[in-house]
Amino acid sequence: MTTQASIRVIVADDQAAVREGLVLLLGTMPGITVVAEAGDGEEAVDLVAEHRPDVVLMDLGMPNVTGAEATRRVRRNHPGTQVVVLTTYASEDLALEALSAGALGYLTKSATKDAIARALSAAAAGQAVLDPGVQRTLIQAATRGRPAPAPADGLTAREIDVLKLIAAGCGNRDISRRLFISEPTVKTHINRIFAKTGSKDRAQAVRYAQQHRYADAGTDADPG
């Protein structure tokens, strides 16, 4: 009797505890083998080139290279590797960004073990699996005829989230807590926001947010 080949997976998440927990969880699933783990998007892309896995289980909010950009690179350079996003939010913008980048699955971190196993198996077979909340979100977006977001400044959905919180006067620690990402990840997003908006500091970023309707023009934000 022929034994079905194991699905080879790379886990990419910048939070070590989450990443290690996922590796342990996947290790209990028959037919799934974790071949490597990455702490950021750039490392994930490099490891895909090295290991050529069937699927990458990808977080979105990672430093250096975001999960969406890493997904785009993986799908462009290694079409034999599929990507399943596993992230905190069932956000419309994040889902559209990830799926536009080429992700074949999108789950939130509240997904069950069985749901993760099904998504990995489906992705390896070239089939899409979406979290029920994400499906509802995308159906609502389609009903409204909402196009995929494409800001002229090139800001990603997560960078816009961070920019809005900067404009609301939030410091890095507060942004980290609100978005459930690490402070180093917040700093990475802020540096990219500065580069994309031509801002030299938080005060200029606040002005940019107000001028481009990412924040209420009347927001009393602390630019310090």
Side-chain angles (χ1 to χ4, degrees):
M1 185 173 64
T2 303
T3 302
Q4 185 176 3
S6 180
I7 299 169
R8 303 172 70 253
V9 177
I10 286 176
V11 175
D13 196 300
D14 66 317
Q15 295 182 310
V18 173
R19 186 174 68 249
E20 291 165 5
L22 286 171
V23 170
L24 290 173
L25 179 66
L26 296 180
T28 68
M29 299 180 184
I32 293 175
T33 301
V34 177
V35 296
E37 53 184 283
D40 60 51
E42 187 165 6
E43 186 179 11
V45 174
D46 290 343
L47 288 172
V48 168
E50 179 181 351
H51 294 279
R52 302 298 175 99
D54 300 301
V55 186
V56 180
L57 191 60
M58 185 87 74
D59 185 30
L60 289 182
M62 295 189 292
N64 300 325
V65 173
T66 66
E69 176 59 25
T71 297
R72 189 172 291 109
R73 294 186 191 181
V74 167
R75 296 298 299 140
R76 181 180 64 231
N77 299 327
H78 308 284
T81 297
Q82 300 292 347
V83 176
V84 171
V85 166
L86 183 67
T87 194
T88 304
Y89 298 102
S91 158
E92 179 180 318
D93 286 347
L94 290 176
L96 287 170
E97 183 181 10
L99 296 174
S100 296
L104 200 54
Y106 192 109
L107 300 175
T108 63
K109 289 181 178 176
S110 61
T112 64
K113 173 182 174 179
D114 288 345
I116 295 173
R118 285 195 301 270
L120 293 175
S121 297
Q127 301 168 0
V129 173
L130 299 179
D131 179 274
V134 173
Q135 284 185 316
R136 287 192 295 271
T137 295
L138 294 180
I139 289 170
Q140 290 168 358
T143 301
R144 294 197 305 271
R146 184 187 189 282
D153 48 31
L155 292 173
T156 66
R158 179 45 57 93
E159 288 164 355
I160 290 171
D161 289 339
V162 173
L163 179 57
K164 287 179 178 179
L165 290 174
I166 291 173
C170 296
N172 288 7
R173 179 174 297 181
D174 196 18
I175 294 173
S176 170
R177 289 173 177 169
R178 289 182 184 224
L179 297 183
F180 300 97
I181 57 178
S182 66
E183 287 191 54
T185 299
V186 172
K187 292 177 182 177
T188 297
H189 286 314
I190 291 174
N191 288 336
R192 293 188 179 197
I193 290 168
F194 286 176
K196 291 179 180 181
T197 63
S199 302
K200 294 182 179 179
D201 52 32
R202 295 174 82 97
Q204 289 188 4
V206 169
R207 283 195 291 274
Y208 182 93
Q210 293 170 348
Q211 292 167 0
H212 292 79
R213 299 185 178 181
Y214 290 127
D216 182 352
T219 299
D220 183 16
D222 177 9

